[in-house]
Coordinates of all heavy atoms in Angstrom, one line a residue:
M1 N 0.9 -1.1 0.0 CA 0.0 0.0 0.0 C 0.9 1.2 0.1 O 1.7 1.4 0.9 CB -0.9 -0.1 1.3 CG -1.8 1.1 1.3 SD -2.9 0.8 2.7 CE -4.0 2.1 2.5
T2 N 0.8 2.0 -1.0 CA 1.5 3.2 -1.1 C 0.7 4.4 -0.5 O -0.5 4.5 -0.7 CB 2.0 3.6 -2.5 OG1 0.8 3.7 -3.3 CG2 2.9 2.5 -3.0
Q3 N 1.5 5.4 0.1 CA 0.9 6.6 0.6 C 1.0 7.7 -0.4 O 2.1 7.8 -0.9 CB 1.5 7.0 1.9 CG 1.1 6.0 3.0 CD 1.6 6.5 4.3 OE1 2.4 7.5 4.4 NE2 1.4 5.7 5.4
K4 N 0.1 8.5 -0.6 CA 0.2 9.6 -1.4 C 0.7 10.8 -0.6 O 0.3 11.1 0.4 CB -1.2 10.1 -2.1 CG -1.7 9.1 -3.1 CD -2.9 9.5 -3.8 CE -3.4 8.6 -4.8 NZ -4.6 9.1 -5.5
S5 N 1.8 11.4 -1.1 CA 2.4 12.6 -0.3 C 1.5 13.8 -0.7 O 0.8 13.9 -1.7 CB 3.8 12.8 -0.8 OG 3.9 13.0 -2.2
A6 N 1.6 14.7 0.2 CA 0.8 16.0 0.0 C 1.5 16.8 -1.2 O 2.6 16.7 -1.4 CB 1.0 16.9 1.3
P7 N 0.7 17.5 -1.8 CA 1.2 18.2 -3.0 C 2.3 19.3 -2.5 O 2.1 19.8 -1.4 CB 0.0 19.0 -3.6 CG -1.1 18.8 -2.6 CD -0.7 17.8 -1.7
R8 N 3.3 19.4 -3.3 CA 4.4 20.3 -2.9 C 3.9 21.7 -3.2 O 3.2 22.0 -4.1 CB 5.6 20.1 -3.8 CG 6.3 18.8 -3.5 CD 7.5 18.7 -4.4 NE 8.0 17.4 -4.2 CZ 9.2 17.0 -4.7 NH1 9.9 17.8 -5.6 NH2 9.7 15.9 -4.5
T9 N 4.3 22.6 -2.3 CA 4.1 24.0 -2.5 C 5.4 24.8 -2.8 O 6.4 24.4 -2.2 CB 3.5 24.7 -1.1 OG1 4.5 24.4 -0.1 CG2 2.2 24.1 -0.7
H10 N 5.3 25.6 -3.9 CA 6.4 26.2 -4.4 C 6.4 27.7 -4.0 O 5.3 28.3 -4.0 CB 6.5 26.2 -5.9 CG 6.6 24.6 -6.4 ND1 7.8 24.1 -6.4 CD2 5.7 23.9 -6.9 CE1 7.6 22.8 -6.9 NE2 6.3 22.8 -7.2
T11 N 7.5 28.2 -3.6 CA 7.6 29.6 -3.2 C 8.3 30.5 -4.3 O 8.4 31.6 -4.0 CB 8.4 29.8 -1.9 OG1 9.7 29.2 -2.0 CG2 7.7 29.0 -0.7
S12 N 8.6 30.0 -5.4 CA 9.2 30.6 -6.4 C 8.3 31.7 -6.9 O 7.1 31.4 -7.2 CB 9.7 29.7 -7.6 OG 9.9 30.5 -8.7
P13 N 8.8 33.0 -7.2 CA 7.8 34.0 -7.7 C 7.3 33.6 -9.2 O 6.3 34.0 -9.5 CB 8.7 35.2 -7.8 CG 10.1 34.8 -7.5 CD 10.1 33.4 -6.8
L14 N 8.1 32.9 -9.8 CA 7.6 32.4 -11.2 C 6.5 31.6 -11.1 O 5.5 31.6 -12.0 CB 8.8 31.8 -11.9 CG 9.9 32.7 -12.3 CD1 11.0 31.9 -13.1 CD2 9.5 33.8 -13.3
L15 N 6.4 30.7 -10.1 CA 5.4 29.7 -10.0 C 4.2 30.2 -9.3 O 3.1 29.8 -9.4 CB 5.9 28.4 -9.3 CG 7.0 27.6 -10.1 CD1 7.5 26.5 -9.2 CD2 6.5 27.2 -11.4
A16 N 4.5 31.1 -8.3 CA 3.4 31.6 -7.5 C 2.6 32.8 -8.1 O 1.6 33.3 -7.5 CB 3.9 32.0 -6.2
A17 N 3.1 33.3 -9.2 CA 2.5 34.5 -9.9 C 1.1 34.3 -10.4 O 0.8 33.2 -11.0 CB 3.4 35.0 -11.0
T18 N 0.2 35.1 -10.2 CA -1.1 35.2 -10.8 C -1.0 35.8 -12.2 O 0.0 36.5 -12.4 CB -2.1 35.9 -9.9 OG1 -1.7 37.3 -9.9 CG2 -2.2 35.3 -8.6
P19 N -1.9 35.6 -13.0 CA -1.8 36.2 -14.3 C -1.7 37.8 -14.3 O -1.0 38.3 -15.1 CB -3.2 35.8 -15.0 CG -3.6 34.6 -14.3 CD -3.1 34.8 -12.9
D20 N -2.3 38.3 -13.3 CA -2.1 39.9 -13.2 C -0.7 40.3 -12.8 O -0.3 41.4 -13.3 CB -3.1 40.4 -12.2 CG -4.6 40.3 -12.6 OD1 -4.8 40.1 -13.8 OD2 -5.5 40.2 -11.7
S21 N -0.1 39.5 -12.0 CA 1.3 39.9 -11.5 C 2.4 39.3 -12.3 O 3.5 39.5 -12.1 CB 1.4 39.5 -10.1 OG 1.4 38.1 -9.9
W22 N 2.0 38.4 -13.3 CA 3.0 37.7 -14.1 C 4.0 38.7 -14.8 O 5.1 38.5 -14.8 CB 2.3 36.8 -15.2 CG 3.3 36.1 -16.0 CD1 3.5 36.3 -17.4 CD2 4.0 35.0 -15.5 NE1 4.5 35.4 -17.8 CE2 4.8 34.5 -16.7 CE3 4.3 34.3 -14.4 CZ2 5.8 33.5 -16.7 CZ3 5.2 33.3 -14.4 CH2 5.9 32.9 -15.5
K23 N 3.4 39.8 -15.4 CA 4.3 40.8 -16.1 C 5.2 41.4 -15.1 O 6.4 41.7 -15.5 CB 3.4 41.8 -16.8 CG 2.7 41.3 -18.0 CD 1.9 42.3 -18.7 CE 1.1 41.7 -19.9 NZ 0.3 42.7 -20.6
D24 N 4.8 41.7 -13.9 CA 5.6 42.3 -12.9 C 6.8 41.4 -12.5 O 7.9 41.8 -12.4 CB 4.9 42.7 -11.7 CG 3.8 43.9 -11.9 OD1 4.1 44.6 -12.8 OD2 2.8 43.8 -11.2
V25 N 6.5 40.1 -12.3 CA 7.5 39.1 -12.0 C 8.5 38.9 -13.1 O 9.7 38.9 -13.0 CB 6.9 37.8 -11.7 CG1 7.9 36.6 -11.6 CG2 6.0 37.8 -10.5
M26 N 7.9 39.0 -14.4 CA 8.8 38.8 -15.5 C 9.8 39.9 -15.8 O 10.8 39.8 -16.4 CB 8.1 38.4 -16.8 CG 7.6 36.9 -16.7 SD 8.7 35.7 -16.2 CE 9.8 35.7 -17.5
K27 N 9.4 41.2 -15.3 CA 10.1 42.3 -15.5 C 11.4 42.2 -14.6 O 12.3 42.8 -14.9 CB 9.4 43.6 -15.1 CG 8.4 44.1 -16.1 CD 7.7 45.2 -15.6 CE 6.5 45.7 -16.6 NZ 5.7 46.8 -16.0
R28 N 11.3 41.5 -13.6 CA 12.4 41.3 -12.7 C 13.5 40.4 -13.2 O 14.6 40.5 -12.8 CB 11.9 40.6 -11.4 CG 13.0 40.3 -10.3 CD 12.4 39.8 -9.1 NE 13.4 39.3 -8.2 CZ 13.3 38.5 -7.2 NH1 12.1 38.2 -6.8 NH2 14.3 38.1 -6.5
Y29 N 13.2 39.6 -14.3 CA 14.2 38.7 -14.9 C 14.6 39.2 -16.3 O 13.7 39.6 -17.0 CB 13.7 37.3 -14.9 CG 13.4 36.8 -13.4 CD1 12.2 36.9 -12.8 CD2 14.5 36.2 -12.7 CE1 12.1 36.3 -11.6 CE2 14.4 35.7 -11.5 CZ 13.2 35.8 -10.9 OH 13.0 35.3 -9.6
L30 N 15.8 38.9 -16.7 CA 16.4 39.3 -17.9 C 16.8 38.1 -18.7 O 17.2 37.2 -18.1 CB 17.5 40.3 -17.8 CG 17.1 41.6 -17.2 CD1 18.5 42.4 -17.0 CD2 16.2 42.3 -17.9
T31 N 16.6 38.1 -20.0 CA 17.1 36.9 -20.7 C 18.6 37.1 -21.0 O 19.2 38.1 -20.8 CB 16.4 36.8 -22.2 OG1 16.8 38.1 -22.9 CG2 14.9 36.7 -22.0
T32 N 19.3 36.1 -21.5 CA 20.7 36.2 -21.9 C 21.0 37.3 -22.9 O 21.9 38.1 -22.7 CB 21.2 34.9 -22.5 OG1 21.0 33.9 -21.5 CG2 22.7 34.9 -22.8
A33 N 20.1 37.5 -23.8 CA 20.2 38.6 -24.8 C 20.2 40.0 -24.2 O 20.8 40.9 -24.6 CB 19.2 38.4 -26.0
E34 N 19.2 40.1 -23.2 CA 19.0 41.4 -22.6 C 20.3 41.7 -21.7 O 20.7 42.9 -21.5 CB 17.8 41.5 -21.7 CG 16.5 41.3 -22.6 CD 15.3 41.1 -21.7 OE1 15.4 40.4 -20.8 OE2 14.2 41.6 -22.2
V35 N 20.8 40.7 -21.0 CA 22.0 40.8 -20.2 C 23.2 41.3 -21.1 O 23.9 42.1 -20.8 CB 22.4 39.6 -19.3 CG1 23.6 39.7 -18.7 CG2 21.2 39.3 -18.4
A36 N 23.3 40.7 -22.2 CA 24.4 41.0 -23.2 C 24.2 42.5 -23.6 O 25.3 43.2 -23.7 CB 24.3 40.0 -24.4
E37 N 23.1 42.9 -24.0 CA 22.8 44.3 -24.2 C 23.1 45.2 -23.0 O 23.8 46.2 -23.3 CB 21.3 44.5 -24.7 CG 21.1 45.8 -25.2 CD 19.7 46.0 -25.6 OE1 19.0 44.9 -26.1 OE2 19.1 47.1 -25.4
R38 N 22.8 44.8 -21.9 CA 23.2 45.6 -20.7 C 24.6 45.8 -20.6 O 25.0 46.9 -20.2 CB 22.5 45.0 -19.5 CG 22.8 45.6 -18.2 CD 22.2 44.9 -17.1 NE 22.6 45.5 -15.7 CZ 21.8 45.5 -14.7 NH1 20.6 45.0 -14.7 NH2 22.2 46.0 -13.5
Y39 N 25.4 44.8 -20.8 CA 26.9 44.9 -20.6 C 27.6 45.1 -21.9 O 28.8 45.0 -22.0 CB 27.4 43.6 -19.9 CG 27.0 43.5 -18.5 CD1 25.9 42.6 -18.1 CD2 27.5 44.3 -17.5 CE1 25.5 42.5 -16.9 CE2 27.0 44.3 -16.3 CZ 26.1 43.3 -15.9 OH 25.6 43.3 -14.5
R40 N 26.9 45.5 -22.9 CA 27.4 45.7 -24.3 C 28.3 44.7 -24.7 O 29.5 44.9 -25.1 CB 28.1 47.2 -24.2 CG 27.1 48.3 -23.9 CD 27.9 49.6 -23.9 NE 26.9 50.6 -23.5 CZ 27.3 51.8 -23.3 NH1 28.6 52.3 -23.3 NH2 26.4 52.8 -23.0
T41 N 27.9 43.5 -24.8 CA 28.6 42.3 -25.3 C 27.7 41.5 -26.0 O 26.5 41.7 -26.3 CB 29.4 41.6 -24.1 OG1 30.3 40.7 -24.6 CG2 28.4 41.0 -23.1
S42 N 28.2 40.3 -26.4 CA 27.4 39.4 -27.2 C 26.8 38.4 -26.3 O 27.2 38.0 -25.2 CB 28.2 38.6 -28.2 OG 29.2 37.8 -27.7
P43 N 25.6 37.8 -26.7 CA 25.0 36.7 -25.9 C 25.9 35.4 -25.7 O 26.0 34.9 -24.6 CB 23.8 36.3 -26.7 CG 23.5 37.4 -27.5 CD 24.8 38.1 -27.8
S44 N 26.7 35.2 -26.6 CA 27.7 34.1 -26.4 C 28.7 34.4 -25.4 O 29.2 33.5 -24.7 CB 28.5 33.7 -27.8 OG 29.2 34.8 -28.3
T45 N 29.2 35.6 -25.2 CA 30.0 36.0 -24.0 C 29.3 35.8 -22.8 O 29.9 35.3 -21.8 CB 30.4 37.5 -24.2 OG1 31.2 37.6 -25.5 CG2 31.3 37.8 -23.1
V46 N 28.1 36.1 -22.6 CA 27.3 35.9 -21.4 C 27.3 34.5 -21.1 O 27.3 34.0 -20.0 CB 26.0 36.6 -21.5 CG1 25.1 36.3 -20.2 CG2 26.0 38.1 -21.6
R47 N 26.9 33.7 -22.1 CA 26.8 32.2 -22.0 C 28.3 31.7 -21.5 O 28.3 30.8 -20.7 CB 26.4 31.5 -23.2 CG 25.0 31.7 -23.5 CD 24.5 30.8 -24.7 NE 25.1 31.2 -25.8 CZ 24.5 32.1 -26.8 NH1 23.3 32.7 -26.4 NH2 25.0 32.5 -27.9
Y48 N 29.3 32.2 -22.0 CA 30.6 31.8 -21.6 C 30.9 32.1 -20.1 O 31.5 31.4 -19.4 CB 31.8 32.4 -22.5 CG 33.1 32.0 -22.0 CD1 33.6 30.7 -22.2 CD2 33.9 32.9 -21.3 CE1 34.8 30.3 -21.8 CE2 35.1 32.5 -20.9 CZ 35.6 31.2 -21.1 OH 36.8 30.8 -20.6
W49 N 30.4 33.3 -19.8 CA 30.6 33.8 -18.3 C 29.9 32.8 -17.4 O 30.5 32.3 -16.4 CB 30.0 35.2 -18.0 CG 30.7 36.3 -18.7 CD1 32.1 36.4 -19.0 CD2 30.2 37.5 -18.9 NE1 32.4 37.5 -19.6 CE2 31.3 38.4 -19.5 CE3 29.0 38.2 -18.6 CZ2 31.1 39.7 -19.8 CZ3 28.9 39.4 -19.0 CH2 29.9 40.3 -19.5
R50 N 28.7 32.2 -17.8 CA 27.9 31.4 -17.1 C 28.6 30.0 -17.0 O 28.8 29.5 -16.0 CB 26.6 31.3 -17.7 CG 25.6 30.5 -16.8 CD 24.1 30.6 -17.4 NE 24.0 30.0 -18.7 CZ 23.7 30.7 -19.7 NH1 23.3 32.0 -19.6 NH2 23.5 30.1 -20.9
Y51 N 29.2 29.5 -18.0 CA 30.0 28.3 -18.2 C 31.3 28.3 -17.3 O 31.5 27.5 -16.6 CB 30.4 28.1 -19.6 CG 31.3 26.9 -19.9 CD1 30.9 25.6 -19.7 CD2 32.6 27.2 -20.2 CE1 31.8 24.6 -19.9 CE2 33.6 26.2 -20.3 CZ 33.2 24.9 -20.2 OH 34.1 23.9 -20.3
A52 N 32.0 29.5 -17.4 CA 33.3 29.6 -16.8 C 33.1 30.0 -15.3 O 34.1 29.9 -14.5 CB 34.1 30.7 -17.4
G53 N 31.9 30.5 -14.9 CA 31.7 30.8 -13.5 C 32.3 32.3 -13.3 O 32.5 32.6 -12.1
T54 N 32.4 33.1 -14.3 CA 32.9 34.5 -14.1 C 31.7 35.3 -14.4 O 30.7 34.9 -14.9 CB 34.1 34.8 -15.0 OG1 33.6 34.6 -16.4 CG2 35.2 33.9 -14.8
G55 N 31.9 36.6 -14.1 CA 30.7 37.5 -14.4 C 29.5 37.2 -13.4 O 29.6 36.6 -12.5
P56 N 28.4 37.9 -13.8 CA 27.3 37.7 -12.8 C 26.8 36.3 -12.8 O 26.5 35.7 -13.9 CB 26.2 38.7 -13.4 CG 26.7 38.9 -14.8 CD 28.1 38.7 -14.9
Q57 N 26.7 35.8 -11.6 CA 26.1 34.4 -11.6 C 24.7 34.3 -10.8 O 24.5 33.4 -10.1 CB 27.1 33.6 -10.7 CG 28.5 33.4 -11.4 CD 28.3 32.7 -12.7 OE1 27.8 31.5 -12.7 NE2 28.8 33.2 -13.7
C58 N 23.8 35.2 -11.2 CA 22.6 35.4 -10.5 C 21.5 34.9 -11.5 O 20.6 35.7 -11.8 CB 22.3 36.7 -10.1 SG 22.6 38.0 -11.3
F59 N 21.6 33.6 -12.0 CA 20.8 33.2 -13.0 C 20.0 32.0 -12.4 O 20.3 31.3 -11.5 CB 21.4 32.8 -14.3 CG 22.4 31.7 -14.1 CD1 22.0 30.4 -14.3 CD2 23.8 31.9 -13.9 CE1 23.0 29.4 -14.2 CE2 24.6 30.9 -13.7 CZ 24.3 29.7 -13.9
I60 N 18.8 31.7 -13.1 CA 17.9 30.6 -12.8 C 17.6 29.9 -14.0 O 17.6 30.5 -15.1 CB 16.7 30.8 -12.0 CG1 15.8 31.9 -12.8 CG2 17.0 31.5 -10.7 CD1 14.4 32.1 -12.3
R61 N 17.4 28.6 -14.0 CA 17.1 27.9 -15.2 C 15.7 27.4 -15.2 O 15.2 27.0 -14.1 CB 17.9 26.6 -15.5 CG 19.4 27.0 -15.6 CD 20.1 25.6 -15.8 NE 21.6 25.9 -15.7 CZ 22.3 26.1 -16.9 NH1 21.7 26.1 -18.1 NH2 23.6 26.4 -16.8
R62 N 14.9 27.7 -16.2 CA 13.5 27.3 -16.3 C 13.4 26.5 -17.6 O 13.2 27.1 -18.7 CB 12.6 28.5 -16.3 CG 12.4 29.1 -15.0 CD 11.8 28.2 -14.0 NE 11.7 28.8 -12.7 CZ 12.4 28.3 -11.7 NH1 13.1 27.2 -11.8 NH2 12.3 28.9 -10.5
G63 N 13.6 25.2 -17.5 CA 13.6 24.4 -18.8 C 14.8 24.7 -19.5 O 15.9 24.6 -19.1
R64 N 14.6 25.1 -20.8 CA 15.8 25.4 -21.6 C 16.1 26.9 -21.5 O 17.1 27.3 -22.0 CB 15.3 25.2 -23.1 CG 15.2 23.8 -23.5 CD 14.8 23.6 -25.0 NE 15.4 24.7 -25.7 CZ 15.0 24.8 -27.1 NH1 14.2 24.1 -27.5 NH2 15.6 25.8 -27.8
H65 N 15.3 27.6 -20.8 CA 15.5 29.0 -20.7 C 16.4 29.5 -19.4 O 16.3 28.8 -18.4 CB 14.2 29.8 -20.5 CG 13.3 29.5 -21.7 ND1 13.5 30.2 -22.9 CD2 12.3 28.7 -21.9 CE1 12.6 29.7 -23.7 NE2 11.8 28.9 -23.1
V66 N 17.2 30.4 -19.6 CA 18.1 30.9 -18.5 C 17.7 32.4 -18.2 O 17.6 33.1 -19.2 CB 19.6 30.8 -18.8 CG1 20.3 31.4 -17.7 CG2 20.0 29.5 -19.1
L67 N 17.4 32.7 -17.0 CA 16.9 34.1 -16.7 C 17.8 34.6 -15.6 O 18.2 33.8 -14.8 CB 15.4 34.1 -16.2 CG 14.5 33.5 -17.2 CD1 13.1 33.3 -16.6 CD2 14.4 34.4 -18.4
Y68 N 18.1 35.9 -15.7 CA 18.9 36.6 -14.7 C 18.1 37.6 -14.0 O 17.2 38.3 -14.5 CB 20.0 37.3 -15.5 CG 21.0 36.6 -16.1 CD1 20.9 35.9 -17.3 CD2 22.2 36.3 -15.4 CE1 21.9 35.2 -17.9 CE2 23.2 35.6 -16.0 CZ 23.0 35.0 -17.3 OH 24.1 34.2 -17.8
D69 N 18.2 37.5 -12.6 CA 17.5 38.5 -11.7 C 18.1 39.9 -11.8 O 19.4 40.1 -11.5 CB 17.7 37.9 -10.2 CG 16.9 38.7 -9.2 OD1 16.5 39.9 -9.5 OD2 16.6 38.1 -8.2
A70 N 17.3 40.8 -12.2 CA 17.8 42.2 -12.5 C 18.3 42.8 -11.1 O 19.2 43.5 -11.2 CB 16.7 43.0 -13.0
R71 N 17.6 42.6 -10.1 CA 18.1 43.2 -8.8 C 19.4 42.7 -8.4 O 20.4 43.4 -7.9 CB 17.0 42.8 -7.7 CG 15.7 43.5 -7.8 CD 14.9 43.2 -6.7 NE 13.5 43.1 -7.1 CZ 12.6 42.5 -6.5 NH1 12.8 41.9 -5.3 NH2 11.4 42.5 -6.9
A72 N 19.7 41.3 -8.6 CA 21.0 40.7 -8.3 C 22.1 41.3 -9.3 O 23.2 41.5 -8.9 CB 20.9 39.2 -8.4
L73 N 21.7 41.6 -10.5 CA 22.7 42.2 -11.4 C 23.0 43.6 -11.0 O 24.2 44.0 -11.1 CB 22.1 42.3 -12.8 CG 21.9 41.0 -13.6 CD1 21.3 41.1 -14.9 CD2 23.3 40.4 -13.9
D74 N 22.0 44.3 -10.4 CA 22.3 45.7 -9.9 C 23.4 45.6 -8.8 O 24.2 46.4 -8.6 CB 21.0 46.3 -9.4 CG 20.1 46.8 -10.5 OD1 20.6 46.8 -11.7 OD2 18.9 46.9 -10.4
K75 N 23.0 44.7 -7.9 CA 24.0 44.4 -6.8 C 25.4 44.0 -7.2 O 26.4 44.6 -6.7 CB 23.4 43.3 -5.8 CG 24.1 43.1 -4.6 CD 23.6 42.1 -3.7 CE 24.4 41.8 -2.5 NZ 23.8 40.7 -1.6
Y76 N 25.5 43.2 -8.2 CA 26.8 42.7 -8.8 C 27.5 44.0 -9.3 O 28.6 44.1 -9.1 CB 26.5 41.7 -9.9 CG 27.7 41.4 -10.7 CD1 28.7 40.5 -10.2 CD2 28.0 41.9 -12.0 CE1 29.8 40.1 -10.9 CE2 29.0 41.6 -12.7 CZ 30.0 40.7 -12.1 OH 31.2 40.4 -12.9
D77 N 26.8 44.9 -10.0 CA 27.3 46.0 -10.7 C 27.9 47.0 -9.6 O 29.0 47.4 -9.7 CB 26.4 46.8 -11.5 CG 25.9 46.0 -12.8 OD1 26.6 45.2 -13.2 OD2 24.9 46.4 -13.3
A78 N 27.1 47.1 -8.4 CA 27.5 48.0 -7.4 C 28.9 47.5 -6.7 O 29.8 48.2 -6.4 CB 26.5 48.1 -6.4
E79 N 28.9 46.1 -6.5 CA 30.1 45.5 -5.9 C 31.3 45.6 -6.8 O 32.4 45.9 -6.4 CB 29.9 44.1 -5.7 CG 28.9 43.8 -4.5 CD 28.5 42.4 -4.4 OE1 28.9 41.5 -5.2 OE2 27.6 42.1 -3.5
E80 N 31.1 45.4 -8.1 CA 32.2 45.5 -9.1 C 32.7 47.0 -9.2 O 33.9 47.2 -9.2 CB 31.7 45.1 -10.5 CG 31.7 43.6 -10.7 CD 33.0 42.9 -10.5 OE1 33.9 43.3 -11.3 OE2 33.1 42.0 -9.7
I81 N 31.9 48.0 -9.2 CA 32.2 49.3 -9.4 C 32.9 49.7 -8.1 O 33.9 50.4 -8.1 CB 31.1 50.2 -9.7 CG1 30.5 50.0 -11.1 CG2 31.4 51.7 -9.5 CD1 29.2 50.6 -11.5
G82 N 32.3 49.4 -6.9 CA 33.0 49.7 -5.7 C 34.3 49.1 -5.5 O 35.3 49.8 -5.0
G83 N 34.6 47.9 -6.0 CA 35.9 47.3 -5.8 C 37.0 48.0 -6.7 O 38.1 48.1 -6.5
R84 N 36.5 48.4 -7.9 CA 37.4 49.1 -8.8 C 37.7 50.5 -8.5 O 38.8 51.1 -8.6 CB 36.9 49.1 -10.3 CG 36.8 47.7 -10.8 CD 36.3 47.7 -12.2 NE 36.2 46.3 -12.7 CZ 35.4 46.0 -13.7 NH1 34.7 46.8 -14.4 NH2 35.3 44.8 -14.0
C85 N 36.7 51.3 -7.9 CA 36.9 52.6 -7.4 C 37.8 52.7 -6.2 O 38.5 53.8 -6.0 CB 35.6 53.2 -7.3 SG 34.7 53.6 -8.7
A86 N 37.8 51.8 -5.4 CA 38.5 51.7 -4.0 C 40.0 51.6 -4.3 O 40.9 52.1 -3.5 CB 38.1 50.6 -3.2
A87 N 40.4 51.1 -5.5 CA 41.9 50.8 -5.7 C 42.6 52.1 -6.1 O 42.2 53.1 -6.4 CB 42.0 49.8 -6.9

């Protein structure tokens, strides 16, 4: 006799979003192409950063899609600029 487990509850903003808030949630995340445009580089360079473990590492995977958290990118930028200006 097998027991059925309780359904899992997800706390991810992508999964908990209602149709009305979906656009707001998606504004928080950027695609690889959008990140490349932000840093004035090519999407292949952003993919290489992800592969090599350099550059901003604030991404999530949703199936085949990779999304970057815009707030975490802002924090990454502030840390990078702060480190370079202090020298």
Side-chain angles (χ1 to χ4, degrees):
M1 179 173 190
T2 61
Q3 293 181 353
K4 291 185 178 181
S5 61
R8 293 184 183 183
T9 57
H10 298 284
T11 57
S12 168
L14 289 175
L15 297 175
T18 62
D20 294 334
S21 65
W22 181 252
K23 289 183 182 179
D24 294 332
V25 170
M26 290 312 295
K27 285 180 187 176
R28 179 177 168 192
Y29 295 96
L30 302 175
T31 64
T32 301
E34 292 167 331
V35 172
E37 185 177 328
R38 176 179 175 145
Y39 291 107
R40 297 181 182 174
T41 189
S42 68
S44 61
T45 298
V46 176
R47 286 190 292 272
Y48 177 75
W49 290 344
R50 193 171 58 241
Y51 168 78
T54 61
Q57 295 296 306
C58 50
F59 62 89
I60 59 172
R61 294 180 189 272
R62 290 292 174 245
R64 292 180 31 189
H65 303 282
V66 177
L67 301 171
Y68 289 82
D69 187 339
R71 291 184 216 160
L73 287 173
D74 292 339
K75 184 178 176 183
Y76 172 80
D77 292 343
E79 290 171 0
E80 285 293 306
I81 291 170
R84 290 183 186 157
C85 292

